[in-house]
Amino acid sequence: MGWLSLAIWTPIAFGAVLLLLGRERQAQLVRWIALIGSLVSVLVTLPLYSGFRLGTAAMQFVEKSVWIPRFNVNYHLGVDGISLWFVLLTAFITVIVVIAGWEVIQQKVNQYMAAFLILSGLMIGVFSALDGVLFYVFFEATLIPMYLIIGIWGGPNKIYAAFKFFLYTLLGSLLTLVAFIYLYTRSGGSFDILTWQTLPLSGTAQTLLFFALFAAFAVKVPMWPVHTWLPDVHVEAPTGGSAVLAAIMLKLGAYGFLRFSLPILPDASREWAWLMIALSLIAVIYVGLVALVQQDMKKLVAYSSVAHMGFVTLGFFIFNDMGITGGLIQMIAHGFVSGAMFLCIGVLYDRVHSREIASYGGVVNTMPRFTAFALLFAMANCGLPGTAGFVGEWMVILGAVKANFWIGVAAATALISGAAYTLWMFKRVYLGPMVNDDVRKLTDINGREFLMLALLAIAVLWMGLYPKPITDVMDASVANLIKQVAVSKLN
């Protein structure tokens, strides 16, 4: 079994073991097994980074076995400089989520921890799959544990939110299956994604396939106007669910654009780039303004996520190295920063049981250590230089200016709204005098919460101060992707 298979199946195996431990009195044992499982999952991904060869766009750590010979479906895995970081990010965030849920979840602990571990393995499978069917299976399977996480451990309207999440993402994905079957027939009976990237296709076929894939990936990102499921789901999901959703699951759609739409359908991607750029700018500007008027902290960060992911799709569809690399870095940075923002909201919610901004004020007086972390993550969400949030946004804006000055200017205005809604929330929640007894009774973060936030703080500062190791891994793959998009595949 190769390293990629270990990265996929190790968390799933630990999750299966946890499902066998059904008794509540074994909750502490369950928590330790979940933590060990998540740490082992991180350890098996480290050889992927240490053994990764720089300067090549070729897939590495490739594994291929026959799965369904009748339809030429293979268990085919591999990573390049684009997908490697998302495999590492998924394993890292899983550890954080297990620590975050350590004391908070008291009911059905084994099922809660198992759902996150299984979800982690499935998401790594999405980023590693090189067979269309294998990708589709992993892509759709991620819906099940997330649906259960929202539906079982969510808020008062959890069933509504879980159904909305499932229906939006499933309906979007059905057209993807049709697209994959068409590519299978056009390629003479192959589900190999790399083979699909060499297929000549007519203009009409490319356009139809582009929008079939768009239906799935745009919902998953989510892009405006199909983003409406995200705030509802974030509000109802438990803290760990919101963190994983923002940090990893939103990246699956953006990754799909890079792995399928751009290299397989370069002519349609260039033809419809104006639409993708327009939708991205609406997300960046309009949704950023919507975030400004939110009273619920989770909704505010959810709308903020839509705006930040708008930067990602904008970077991809301006087709230069600065934009695409910036979009990729923005995806990773958003994974750290948005995950941290949701975990901070969870820390407050666990104590006061309210997400309303008006329920807080003067938190710094009772929780100074926690406020220091919250300030760092707020600054990163604003795109402050020296933090992870700055690098990706800045590169996308530079790439946009290079492509079209006015697109760059429009994108840059989002920095103002981003800073406005983030700092406005920080001021009302953390600064000023204490507004009520709930805030006066608050206790500062404990050792578990400190560890969880400290790991994310280190990641945010590391990416902001020294992003070179990340860009070095991506460079060859991004250059190859730009080369693929530039070549017409019309037949």
Side-chain angles (χ1 to χ4, degrees):
M1 183 178 282
W3 289 112
L4 277 174
S5 286
L6 282 172
I8 293 169
W9 297 109
T10 297
I12 293 176
F14 272 91
V17 169
L18 291 181
L19 289 176
L20 299 176
L21 300 173
R23 298 177 181 174
E24 292 300 327
R25 62 188 172 85
Q26 293 176 312
Q28 199 63 9
L29 174 64
V30 164
R31 294 183 182 105
W32 280 107
I33 293 175
L35 181 60
I36 292 168
S38 62
L39 290 172
V40 172
S41 301
V42 170
L43 288 177
V44 299
T45 59
L46 293 182
L48 297 174
Y49 177 70
S50 61
F52 192 84
R53 287 178 287 113
L54 300 178
T56 173
M59 289 292 170
Q60 302 184 37
F61 303 99
V62 174
E63 300 173 37
K64 190 171 184 178
S65 307
V66 175
W67 180 16
I68 308 173
R70 182 174 180 182
F71 299 106
N72 198 19
V73 177
N74 298 304
Y75 178 79
H76 191 186
L77 304 174
V79 288
D80 61 1
I82 291 173
S83 51
L84 174 66
W85 280 109
F86 298 107
V87 172
L88 300 175
L89 178 67
T90 305
F92 174 76
I93 291 295
T94 304
V95 176
I96 300 293
V97 168
V98 168
I99 296 173
W102 195 269
E103 295 171 353
V104 177
I105 301 299
Q106 295 295 331
Q107 301 295 324
K108 301 177 182 175
V109 181
N110 64 319
Q111 295 173 24
Y112 178 85
M113 295 295 183
F116 279 107
L117 288 173
I118 293 170
L119 179 60
S120 173
L122 295 174
M123 290 190 296
I124 291 174
V126 173
F127 294 125
S128 308
L130 295 180
D131 182 279
V133 173
L134 189 64
F135 174 90
Y136 190 77
V137 168
F138 281 130
F139 192 77
E140 293 302 295
T142 58
L143 300 182
I144 300 169
M146 181 52 80
Y147 173 81
L148 295 174
I149 289 166
I150 300 165
I152 296 176
W153 295 277
N157 295 317
K158 57 191 177 187
I159 302 300
Y160 165 76
F163 268 110
K164 193 170 184 179
F165 163 76
F166 198 89
L167 288 176
Y168 263 70
T169 46
L170 181 67
L171 291 176
S173 302
L174 289 179
L175 286 176
T176 304
L177 183 60
V178 176
F180 283 6
I181 292 171
Y182 178 83
L183 289 167
Y184 170 76
T185 55
R186 284 285 303 173
S187 61
S190 174
F191 279 109
D192 188 280
I193 295 171
L194 300 180
T195 300
W196 289 353
Q197 293 179 358
T198 62
L199 283 179
L201 295 165
S202 69
T204 304
Q206 285 202 33
T207 298
L208 292 173
L209 288 170
F210 180 84
F211 282 104
L213 296 174
F214 172 85
F217 301 145
V219 169
K220 204 82 165 188
V221 169
M223 296 182 72
W224 185 90
V226 288
H227 67 288
T228 56
W229 62 272
L230 187 68
D232 291 335
V233 170
H234 270 308
V235 166
E236 297 302 327
T239 301
S242 288
V244 166
L245 184 63
I248 312 293
M249 286 200 78
L250 302 189
K251 313 301 179 295
L252 301 182
Y255 176 77
F257 281 124
L258 287 185
R259 187 60 78 215
F260 294 93
S261 304
L262 267 61
I264 297 175
L265 314 165
D267 301 280
S269 296
R270 289 196 302 272
E271 183 180 352
W272 294 100
W274 65 270
L275 176 64
M276 299 299 292
I277 291 171
L279 295 179
S280 301
L281 286 176
I282 292 172
V284 167
I285 298 169
Y286 168 69
V287 179
L289 294 175
V290 172
L292 196 58
V293 298
Q294 298 304 312
Q295 297 301 315
D296 183 305
M297 288 188 284
K298 264 195 166 184
K299 269 195 175 178
L300 188 150
V301 179
Y303 281 112
S304 162
S305 289
V306 177
H308 281 111
M309 290 305 291
F311 262 103
V312 172
T313 47
L314 174 64
F316 289 171
F317 282 87
I318 52 181
F319 304 129
N320 59 45
D321 58 343
M322 193 70 80
I324 293 178
T325 304
L328 283 165
I329 291 179
Q330 175 73 353
M331 285 167 71
I332 301 168
H334 181 259
F336 293 134
V337 176
S338 65
M341 297 280 284
F342 281 115
L343 290 171
C344 285
I345 295 169
V347 167
L348 291 174
Y349 183 79
D350 292 341
R351 288 162 169 76
V352 180
H353 302 293
S354 173
R355 293 185 303 267
E356 291 295 316
I357 294 173
S359 301
Y360 299 91
V363 172
V364 66
N365 297 293
T366 47
M367 303 181 73
R369 286 197 304 168
F370 172 62
T371 303
F373 281 118
L375 178 62
L376 171 65
F377 300 135
M379 292 296 109
N381 204 48
C382 296
L384 186 77
T387 65
F390 170 76
V391 184
E393 286 186 359
W394 187 245
M395 290 181 75
V396 170
I397 290 171
L398 286 179
V401 169
K402 191 175 170 183
N404 182 299
F405 175 77
W406 294 110
I407 293 175
V409 171
T413 60
L415 297 177
I416 300 169
S417 62
Y421 60 68
T422 305
L423 296 179
W424 181 232
M425 179 181 74
F426 185 83
K427 173 189 173 294
R428 288 182 288 172
V429 172
Y430 296 95
L431 304 182
M434 290 180 282
V435 295
N436 56 46
D437 288 339
D438 286 335
V439 175
R440 290 188 188 90
K441 292 175 185 173
L442 286 175
T443 55
D444 212 338
I445 49 176
N446 56 33
R448 175 185 61 84
E449 292 164 331
F450 183 90
L451 174 65
M452 170 183 83
L453 297 176
L455 288 173
L456 286 166
I458 291 169
V460 166
L461 290 173
W462 168 64
M463 268 200 77
L465 296 172
Y466 191 58
K468 187 173 182 297
I470 300 174
T471 55
D472 283 351
V473 170
M474 293 176 179
D475 281 346
S477 296
V478 170
N480 183 58
L481 179 63
I482 292 171
K483 202 178 296 179
Q484 285 182 303
V485 178
V487 176
S488 173
K489 290 180 181 168
L490 291 174
N491 64 357

